[in-house]
Amino acid sequence: MTAKSGLINLVKGTALMTTTTGYVVVVVLLLLAALLRTYDLANLPQGFSEDEIVNIRLVDNVRQGDIFVFFPGEDGGREGAYHVFTAFVTSFVGEGTIGFRIASVWLSLISIAIIYTLGNHLFNPSVAALAAGLVTVNMNSILLARAVSSDAAVLFLVSAIMLALARSLPVYRRTRGVSSNIVSFAALGALLGIGVYLHPSSLFIVLGAMACIAHLLYIGVLFRERRSYIGFAILLMLIICMPYLISSINLPQFSGLFRILSHYNDDLPRSIADGLLSIFANGDADPRHNLPGRPLVDAFSGLLMIVGIITCVLRKHRPRFMLLLIMFALALPAALVVENSPNFARMSVILPQLALFFGIGFYSVIRAPIFVDVIFRRLAVAGVLLLFSINLIWTWTDLFGDWRDNEAVVPLFNGELGQIAHYLDTVGGDTPVVFCNSSWATNEPETELGNSNKTLLMMNRSQFAFSEVDCSQSLLLKNGGARQLVVFFDGAALDDLHPYLQEWLSHGRPVMGKIPRDAIIELETAQLLADRAGAFMTTAPLSYAPEVADLEPISPPIRFGGNLTFLGYEPEIDREILPGENADVITYWRVEGAFLRDIILKHHILADPVTPIGIRDVISVNPLMLQERDVFIQVTPVRLLNTTLPGNYIVSVGAYRQSDQERLPALKEDLPHGDRIFLYEIEVLPLTAADEAGA
């Protein structure tokens, strides 16, 4: 068939585009859609929003075997099917910003293919290509494809159900019975049943499907064979939905219906009006879903959509047009009656219908008498190609320019953590990395992930070695002070460091690049550490415990059991303390081999060898991540009792296992020699009248 023969008179019901040409066009559109959805997927957006992080944690729960109909949460329940699907995908492709997003990308691309197939089945390749093209360059569709959210599955769900309806039901009002495909009805029932586990909007989609079936029954085009098949599809849907229905009865507060009804309030008319207006005018102001101020579609496309809706209403006696109208009308509340309307994330439930309306609108306009002339028809085709090109350029510049650089986007997606994650991805595993994470030793379960764990979620390396330290009280020097990166997730954390640790970090230099200022410090202190350890041999004398030896001064280092060596202590500190104040004990430790998992350092201030007046047992470095030749500096404030009497007191240190409280022996010539060492004396000063008044 020649190109000229493809331009057939539309009044006869044939298309501008041949089927073969349509396949070529949709392949090009799918390639373009893949480019728009995967280009710089790892870094656009730079990180994950808090809602996405919740979904990622639920994906992790699924991988651990915790699968529920509803995952309860502070913001209501969440259906679990999307998380199950994402868990399955990430088990093959890995995690990180690419791994967690790729499931949504695939759903988006499949949706475009389905929309084309649906448009071609109901109408013709021209309408199908126009609809697929609009979704391809639609910014909301692209942002959803890059989101770890069940909202990304709605576009697939509604388009797949509409296609199943179109293939199962006599939408062309045939006057004679035809053989039915049981597979189509099985797919319809399965999609309707599975859909309720994906998103609360599916309840409106199911309602729309039932209304379409009721309409065909009413106009009398369903023959007995198809009615039995429809009964089979509904039965299959009910069987699949049964756990959902039971869970909704038992846990109504988490059900999709409850969450939908909770949005019906006094502002319902305004919510609907704002939602409708956002399609063509002011748009969604939430940067997570849209570039603020950008409408869902451009004004000219919106005008063609209105023409398409009017065309469908005028041809409502034809089932294929009525199918589209019913699915649009009954899905509309799911898009408009939402919290903080307009919400483009929920608009995907009507996006396939709007896209088809756009195609029908253009197709109807081009049927005007003026377009019978080939020249005018070619001008119209050129116009729609120009419109597509303008939308493509508009979306590209908004997405990869204005939206990426929008100052509101970075905090909403934890963009600074994403920048750190991207930098760590690029430097690889050649340089040791130390995370400053003050909550690593917290035993209580985290209701929210800390910054270090959020950063790890955003990394695309399957294996990434790092160490964790509470940098406010400790500094880890990897491999004896060799080159390393120290990562601060909080900008204020660097200022909160102990001055002694700040002095050590001053020998490093901040890493420059597209990361937050002073977030990563490159530190190399091998020579400085060697000089400091050597000085301890003469400036920091110590002794074994009096029960095993006289308090004769000896020089560090002192080995302990468990592959732990005491390198020395900082002698130049304030040793005059008032009662109730903190006495800082600054010690240096080195790992000599396989390290104990539950080691704790003990710091005691003693009135005599057995009577403590101040105790602090703590380790500020994660022992699980320590390796041979690692050195860590421990700054431990030990609080004195308020009733401490003036006098001289001695500082003692040691270590023990937390699991069984077994103390590690201090070694002398590889033999146990007590379980603690004595460092130096401090002097507790008497309280003056001013001190007592201040206390």
Side-chain angles (χ1 to χ4, degrees):
M1 183 179 293
T2 64
K4 183 176 181 179
S5 62
L7 299 175
I8 307 298
N9 193 332
L10 296 177
V11 178
K12 297 180 179 180
T14 55
L16 282 171
M17 186 182 297
T18 66
T19 301
T20 302
T21 306
Y23 288 148
V24 174
V25 170
V26 75
V27 169
V28 173
L29 289 175
L30 287 172
L31 292 174
L32 178 60
L35 174 65
L36 291 170
R37 286 153 179 79
T38 59
Y39 179 73
D40 204 15
L41 182 63
N43 303 300
L44 185 69
Q46 189 71 63
F48 292 126
S49 67
E50 293 300 326
D51 184 72
E52 288 179 296
I53 290 173
V54 172
N55 287 326
I56 291 171
R57 297 185 72 180
L58 294 180
V59 170
D60 187 58
N61 288 348
V62 170
R63 283 200 294 258
Q64 296 176 14
D66 297 331
I67 302 176
F68 302 97
V69 173
F70 304 123
F71 287 103
E74 295 181 357
D75 56 347
R78 294 171 188 250
E79 287 76 8
Y82 175 82
H83 307 97
V84 173
F85 175 67
T86 306
F88 175 77
V89 171
T90 53
S91 65
F92 291 98
V93 303
E95 301 180 356
T97 51
I98 294 177
F100 286 116
R101 290 170 180 162
I102 200 66
S104 297
V105 171
W106 290 348
L107 288 172
S108 181
L109 294 177
I110 295 172
S111 300
I112 294 173
I114 292 175
I115 289 171
Y116 175 83
T117 305
L118 175 63
N120 189 31
H121 183 80
L122 289 178
F123 305 103
N124 54 60
S126 301
V127 172
L130 289 166
L134 184 140
V135 178
T136 295
V137 297
N138 181 260
M139 184 167 176
N140 176 52
S141 174
I142 297 171
L143 287 179
L144 283 178
R146 293 171 177 263
V148 187
S149 171
S150 59
D151 291 326
V154 175
L155 181 66
F156 163 79
L157 180 65
V158 65
S159 56
I161 288 178
M162 289 175 64
L163 179 60
L165 283 168
R167 294 185 64 88
S168 303
L169 303 178
V171 293
Y172 290 98
R173 198 185 182 105
R174 294 184 177 93
T175 57
R176 60 183 181 86
V178 296
S179 60
S180 299
N181 188 351
I182 188 63
V183 176
S184 299
F185 287 94
L188 175 61
L191 286 169
L192 291 173
I194 295 173
V196 298
Y197 298 95
L198 273 174
H199 199 275
S201 297
S202 62
L203 299 177
F204 292 92
I205 301 172
V206 171
L207 183 61
M210 296 300 104
C212 289
I213 294 173
H215 172 72
L216 293 178
L217 286 171
Y218 175 75
I219 63 176
V221 298
L222 287 179
F223 295 96
R224 180 176 300 175
E225 180 186 11
R226 288 189 185 271
R227 293 180 184 180
S228 62
Y229 284 147
I230 289 173
F232 162 74
I234 294 175
L235 178 61
L236 181 59
M237 176 193 71
L238 292 176
I239 292 173
I240 297 175
C241 287
M242 195 56 62
Y244 184 91
L245 297 175
I246 295 174
S247 297
S248 297
I249 295 172
N250 294 333
L251 300 169
Q253 69 274 24
F254 299 130
S255 66
L257 182 61
F258 177 84
R259 279 175 281 150
I260 291 169
L261 294 177
S262 65
H263 298 315
Y264 283 85
N265 50 46
D266 295 337
D267 294 331
L268 182 59
R270 181 175 180 179
S271 174
I272 295 174
D274 289 343
L276 290 173
L277 187 62
S278 70
I279 298 176
F280 315 115
N282 54 1
D284 185 355
D286 191 339
R288 292 174 299 176
H289 312 143
N290 185 45
L291 179 65
R294 175 187 168 119
L296 185 66
V297 297
D298 65 278
F300 193 78
S301 298
L303 182 62
L304 289 177
M305 287 178 184
I306 294 174
V307 174
I309 293 173
I310 295 173
T311 301
C312 289
V313 171
L314 295 176
R315 291 168 172 78
K316 61 182 181 295
H317 58 282
R318 300 182 183 181
R320 53 179 173 154
F321 291 97
M322 199 62 187
L323 168 66
L324 200 55
L325 286 173
I326 291 174
M327 291 300 295
F328 174 70
L330 292 182
L332 201 56
L336 302 181
V337 186
V338 295
E339 189 176 8
N340 300 322
S341 179
N343 185 337
F344 277 4
R346 300 300 172 86
M347 288 287 186
S348 54
V349 72
I350 59 172
L351 188 56
Q353 299 94 307
L354 290 175
L356 289 170
F357 286 142
F358 167 74
I360 294 170
F362 174 79
Y363 194 75
S364 299
V365 169
I366 208 172
R367 294 180 64 180
I370 189 175
F371 293 110
V372 174
D373 187 274
V374 173
I375 295 178
F376 286 103
R377 185 166 296 176
R378 288 176 177 174
L379 289 175
V381 172
V384 80
L385 290 175
L386 177 63
L387 179 64
F388 177 81
S389 301
I390 292 173
N391 273 275
L392 175 60
I393 296 171
W394 184 31
T395 296
W396 185 277
T397 55
D398 279 357
L399 179 63
F400 298 107
D402 296 341
W403 189 81
R404 181 200 288 270
D405 299 332
N406 191 289
E407 60 181 11
V409 171
V410 173
L412 286 175
F413 285 91
N414 294 286
E416 292 188 347
L417 298 181
Q419 293 169 359
I420 294 173
H422 177 64
Y423 180 83
L424 296 178
D425 271 334
T426 58
V427 299
D430 298 333
T431 305
V433 176
V434 177
F435 282 178
C436 287
N437 175 22
S438 60
S439 62
W440 70 263
T442 303
N443 294 324
E444 298 180 359
E446 292 182 307
T447 55
E448 295 184 1
L449 288 185
N451 288 335
S452 62
N453 288 327
K454 290 179 182 178
T455 302
L456 291 174
L457 284 181
M458 300 173 192
M459 295 187 63
N460 293 294
R461 286 184 173 270
S462 58
Q463 299 294 331
F464 179 74
F466 65 97
S467 302
E468 288 182 301
V469 183
D470 181 356
C471 287
S472 65
Q473 297 186 9
S474 186
L475 178 63
L476 176 61
L477 305 176
K478 298 290 293 182
N479 195 23
R483 180 177 178 270
Q484 68 182 47
L485 300 176
V486 184
V487 181
F488 291 89
F489 302 102
D490 186 353
L494 189 59
D495 298 329
D496 294 338
L497 262 62
H498 191 279
Y500 189 82
L501 300 179
Q502 286 184 345
E503 190 272 332
W504 269 92
L505 283 173
S506 67
H507 296 282
R509 63 179 183 86
V511 173
M512 306 304 293
K514 197 173 181 180
I515 57 174
R517 181 180 178 183
D518 295 332
I520 302 178
I521 294 179
E522 182 180 339
L523 187 63
E524 188 171 3
T525 57
Q527 186 59 50
L528 178 62
L529 179 61
D531 294 342
R532 191 69 58 91
F536 290 154
M537 298 179 67
T538 57
T539 62
L542 48 85
S543 64
Y544 288 105
E547 62 266 19
V548 296
D550 296 333
L551 294 177
E552 298 179 357
I554 58 175
S555 299
I558 300 294
R559 290 187 60 206
F560 279 78
N563 292 319
L564 177 65
T565 294
F566 178 81
L567 289 182
Y569 62 87
E570 175 56 52
E572 301 296 330
I573 60 171
D574 186 7
R575 299 192 185 185
E576 295 181 346
I577 313 296
L578 291 173
E581 290 186 342
N582 289 330
D584 287 341
V585 181
I586 303 176
T587 54
Y588 289 67
W589 304 81
R590 184 174 64 207
V591 178
E592 304 292 354
F595 206 59
L596 298 175
R597 300 170 60 90
D598 58 347
I599 193 171
I600 297 292
L601 302 180
K602 58 180 183 178
H603 309 79
H604 294 180
I605 298 178
L606 305 171
D608 56 57
V610 295
T611 306
I613 63 167
I615 297 176
R616 182 75 186 278
D617 294 353
V618 67
I619 185 170
S620 300
V621 182
N622 191 341
L624 299 177
M625 300 176 177
L626 294 178
Q627 298 175 331
E628 187 175 359
R629 300 194 73 249
D630 287 352
V631 175
F632 60 94
I633 305 170
Q634 177 87 23
V635 179
T636 307
V638 182
R639 189 171 186 82
L640 300 180
L641 297 174
N642 292 328
T643 57
T644 302
L645 298 176
N648 293 331
Y649 299 87
I650 194 165
V651 177
S652 169
V653 298
Y656 64 90
R657 299 184 58 167
Q658 189 176 19
S659 58
D660 55 13
Q661 303 295 307
E662 181 181 353
R663 296 184 178 184
L664 302 183
L667 303 178
K668 182 179 182 181
E669 298 177 354
D670 293 332
L671 296 176
H673 209 62
D675 55 24
R676 54 184 176 157
I677 53 177
F678 283 38
L679 306 185
Y680 55 86
E681 287 187 345
I682 64 169
E683 181 183 0
V684 177
L685 304 177
L687 287 173
T688 65
D691 293 329
E692 292 177 350

